[in-house]
Amino acid sequence: ISAIGDAILSIPSFKALKSKFPTSKIVCLVGMQAKEAFGRCPYIDELIVYDIKDKEKGWRGVYRLAKKLIRRRFDLVIDLQNNKKSHILSYATFSAQRYGYNNGKFSFLLNHAIKDTPGAVGPVEHQFRVLKMLGVDYNGETLELWPSSDDNKFAETFLSQSLSEKKLIGINIGASPRWQSKRWPYKRFAQLCDKLIAKGYRCLLTGSVHDASIAKKILKDIKAEPLCSVGRTTLMQLASLIKKCDCYVTSDSAPMHVAAAVGTPFVAFFGPTYSARHLPLPSRSVVLQKACVPCYKDTCRKKEHECMEKITVQDCLAAIEELLKK
């Protein structure tokens, strides 16, 4: 019910559940911002959209949603979000079977909770620790997304502005507005584009509407002119664009998961978060992580963002060329 990346990471769990319980009806409670990730998912039978920032904002909104959930009489509830609000909503279903992590965040409201043991476990395998209580094992399920034919046409039309046989390098300039500590310095993006274009590649800048001001700064600093889709795509249009790329450069954010889901090789910048816990596998990727023990702080205490500053343009170029050779 929150981040788009978390929604994409949950798709393998839906696939495994549908395989284990083929005659079941699987209903997914999803936040407004992430609902597009599930719009064409073949493993989900119905979506209940939780408008957490508007119509169902605050605890009154939780109460109204809880009344809807009670009426559904769910046989079994699996909490893949595992925060206070999701535990409360799980309990509000009055289902006799409620599964999730015992993480101290109102997890007493679940009646089948497993302790989250410390250690580096990939994000998909982490969910399957909960599913194992239902006899569902991890069998290497991977991320998937399902862009429509209209999404694919959008990507083709957009890229036709720069018809060329040159390899296309996508570059995600953004990160969640909350995670300023995940951002690479914008001047590095400009330098990277200039070097890539000088080497004979095409460049495509991607990002959300929140990244528009950064895009303007980058474009002002770039000597050559890349394609720029910042703030101009839906999630699935972005997926179609990333699928067309020969390589993609991104921070630890939703577009990284999109790249993994559509099978595009990517270079991933990791700063305040730990790649072993968040990198979707298997994926064709190179991780760049330079400094600090991951702190999981959304702003840098030193105000220097050293972990991101130490990743150089040359590091990124070398990683891109390594992936392209493969």
Side-chain angles (χ1 to χ4, degrees):
I1 54 175
S2 61
I4 294 170
D6 288 346
I8 296 170
L9 286 168
S10 71
I11 287 170
S13 294
F14 289 109
K15 183 177 182 179
L17 286 165
K18 200 64 172 176
S19 178
K20 177 73 173 179
F21 307 109
T23 61
S24 64
K25 179 176 182 178
I26 295 181
V27 180
C28 174
L29 176 66
V30 61
M32 184 68 78
Q33 73 174 121
K35 67 177 181 177
E36 196 183 351
F38 299 134
R40 297 167 61 82
C41 178
Y43 317 122
I44 295 173
D45 300 293
E46 182 187 343
L47 292 179
I48 298 176
V49 179
Y50 180 18
D51 193 355
I52 197 169
K53 292 184 178 180
D54 191 6
K55 293 179 182 177
E56 289 156 328
K57 187 177 180 179
W59 290 110
R60 286 185 180 180
V62 172
Y63 176 70
R64 286 196 296 271
L65 179 59
K67 288 201 296 183
K68 292 180 191 175
L69 297 177
I70 291 169
R71 290 196 292 268
R72 297 302 299 269
R73 299 182 180 273
F74 291 108
D75 297 294
L76 189 151
V77 171
I78 300 167
D79 187 344
L80 294 176
Q81 184 72 67
N82 283 296
N83 61 23
K84 289 179 181 178
K85 198 164 285 186
S86 65
H87 288 332
I88 289 169
L89 290 168
S90 296
Y91 179 75
T93 64
F94 282 10
S95 168
Q97 307 291 329
R98 303 182 301 279
Y99 293 80
Y101 268 114
N102 178 6
N103 55 11
K105 297 176 181 178
F106 283 41
S107 50
F108 63 89
L109 297 174
L110 306 172
N111 54 8
H112 297 279
I114 187 172
K115 189 70 178 174
D116 190 1
T117 54
V121 176
V124 175
E125 290 178 80
H126 187 264
Q127 296 170 26
F128 275 79
R129 283 181 170 176
V130 171
L131 300 187
K132 196 168 181 63
M133 290 189 283
L134 288 153
V136 179
D137 294 316
Y138 177 58
N139 291 312
E141 286 85 357
T142 56
L143 306 191
E144 298 176 74
L145 284 173
W146 302 269
S148 68
S149 57
D150 286 342
D151 297 321
N152 293 328
K153 283 177 186 174
F154 168 85
E156 288 171 8
T157 302
F158 189 89
L159 295 175
S160 68
Q161 301 172 54
S162 174
L163 284 173
S164 172
E165 296 299 316
K166 295 176 181 178
K167 290 190 181 295
L168 179 64
I169 312 300
I171 302 171
N172 169 37
I173 66 168
S176 165
R178 177 195 155 198
W179 284 93
Q180 293 302 309
S181 54
K182 288 184 180 182
R183 290 187 178 275
W184 205 36
Y186 79 86
K187 287 185 179 293
R188 302 268 174 91
F189 285 118
Q191 293 163 7
L192 178 63
C193 282
D194 281 334
K195 288 186 180 293
L196 285 169
I197 291 168
K199 282 177 172 283
Y201 300 114
R202 286 188 299 159
C203 288
L204 166 68
L205 300 182
T206 70
S208 71
V209 290
H210 303 292
D211 305 313
S213 60
I214 295 172
K216 284 182 182 178
K217 292 180 182 178
I218 293 169
L219 290 169
K220 192 175 179 181
D221 274 17
I222 293 174
K223 295 171 187 174
E225 191 171 341
L227 290 165
C228 181
S229 68
V230 176
R232 298 166 64 184
T233 62
T234 64
L235 177 64
M236 289 303 168
Q237 287 171 343
L238 175 64
S240 291
L241 282 174
I242 293 175
K243 192 171 184 177
K244 297 278 188 185
C245 294
D246 294 283
C247 185
Y248 193 62
V249 177
T250 177
S251 60
D252 171 22
S253 57
M256 178 183 74
H257 302 120
V258 172
V262 299
T264 296
F266 61 90
V267 178
F269 299 153
F270 276 86
T273 54
Y274 188 25
S275 62
R277 285 182 59 188
H278 302 284
L279 185 72
L281 294 172
S283 58
R284 291 178 292 162
S285 60
V286 174
V287 170
L288 297 178
Q289 186 154 29
K290 283 298 187 100
C292 314
V293 174
C295 64
Y296 284 87
K297 301 294 182 185
D298 49 20
T299 53
C300 184
R301 288 177 179 175
K302 301 176 184 178
K303 297 183 180 178
E304 295 170 356
H305 294 125
E306 183 184 12
C307 57
M308 298 300 285
E309 288 275 357
K310 283 194 173 182
I311 299 171
T312 67
V313 172
Q314 193 55 46
D315 290 331
C316 189
L317 278 171
I320 291 169
E321 294 191 328
E322 178 186 337
L323 286 169
L324 291 176
K325 282 177 187 175
K326 291 179 182 178

